[in-house]
Amino acid sequence: MAGLEEKYLDSIRTIMMMQKTVLPNWTISPQLMMVTLAFGFFVAICNTLPVFAEKVLDISLNERSETCPQMLVKARVRHATACTLAFITPDRTTDFLLPSTYPATNLDACLNNSVLAANLTELGNLAFNTDQLFVLKRKLGEIYPGGLPQEEIEKLGMIVTVYTIEDISQWNITDPDVLAAAMENSGSAEMINALQSHYLKGLGVLNAAVLNTIGGTMLCTASEEKLKTILPTEFRKAKPLDISTCSQAKKDIIFGIAKVAFQDQTGDPNTYYNLIKPYVGK
């Protein structure tokens, strides 16, 4: 407001100077002076309003940023992540050049969740870098906020590599094929062990394929109740297992399953002994 007062005073000074110098012999009527002063006041206000409005706007924005910072941040993020390339369509999800065409920020902006969900297998097989894989993982979290369904875990491909052991502990894998697919792409011994351990603690079936995949050492970490679920017909089809690290109670359970699995070979003592030998005296 100090600027407004200064401009108003300048108008008065101008009138006084006009009376003393430019028009010394003229007499300015009170009406004319009032009109002139009003005009000067109007001009001063007009010149001040833009500055005043700008300051008010600045204060308003500052107050908003203090009271609603998340809202402003989200607005900036939306603006910053707008898709500047073509949106990824289903027919492009098999394009091996996609990872080099869409860096992480563009992939995030240009890949709709619906396209990702419908083409997960194809996108999981592309050579995305770690940043891009994290984008896909986050988007899958948006699509499946309650956790990845088992059938989607099988489609992850290379995306599984950016999931953590904590993530895996939330999965409900009961299908041996899903376990095999996840292990095949994990690429980390620590993650493979986590997958196997979690599977053994759950309701997953222990068929011949799983027994061959996890081996005897990992099998020994299963509970006694879990070991009892092994069907003799599946045990018979599995490769010999090294159960030397099992507790005696677990060894006894496995030996009992082996005897039933190979009981049809008891007529040939030699064959029968060789089949149950891995589980005798361990």
Side-chain angles (χ1 to χ4, degrees), residues 160-171:
V160 75
T161 60
V162 292
Y163 281 86
T164 66
I165 293 176
E166 183 178 354
D167 294 327
I168 292 171
S169 68
Q170 304 302 315
W171 291 351

Side-chain angles (χ1 to χ4, degrees), residues 145-281:
L148 281 175
Q150 184 170 217
E151 57 271 20
E152 302 308 315
I153 296 173
E154 188 174 11
K155 302 174 185 176
L156 286 176
M158 295 304 297
I159 307 174
V160 75
T161 60
V162 292
Y163 281 86
T164 66
I165 293 176
E166 183 178 354
D167 294 327
I168 292 171
S169 68
Q170 304 302 315
W171 291 351
N172 182 28
I173 302 178
T174 59
D175 188 330
D177 292 336
V178 175
L179 174 65
M183 288 175 56
E184 180 181 357
N185 294 300
S186 64
S188 161
E190 185 179 21
M191 181 173 286
I192 289 174
N193 288 337
L195 283 165
Q196 294 176 345
S197 178
H198 183 58
Y199 183 86
L200 291 172
K201 292 176 183 177
L203 301 176
V205 176
L206 293 180
N207 63 8
V210 172
L211 295 176
N212 289 336
T213 299
I214 66 176
T217 301
M218 179 58 69
L219 183 64
C220 288
T221 65
S223 67
E224 294 177 15
E225 290 71 23
K226 187 70 174 179
L227 292 176
K228 291 175 183 178
T229 66
I230 301 174
L231 296 176
T233 52
E234 292 298 320
F235 193 89
R236 179 188 178 94
K237 292 184 288 185
K239 299 175 183 176
L241 299 168
D242 180 2
I243 61 171
S244 58
T245 59
C246 287
S247 66
Q248 188 58 53
K250 292 179 181 180
K251 289 177 181 179
D252 292 342
I253 292 171
I254 295 173
F255 178 66
I257 296 172
K259 286 198 302 181
V260 175
F262 304 118
Q263 63 183 351
D264 63 331
Q265 300 296 320
T266 54
D268 184 345
N270 239 4
T271 301
Y272 178 70
Y273 175 74
N274 287 330
L275 289 171
I276 65 169
K277 182 179 178 181
Y279 316 109
V280 176

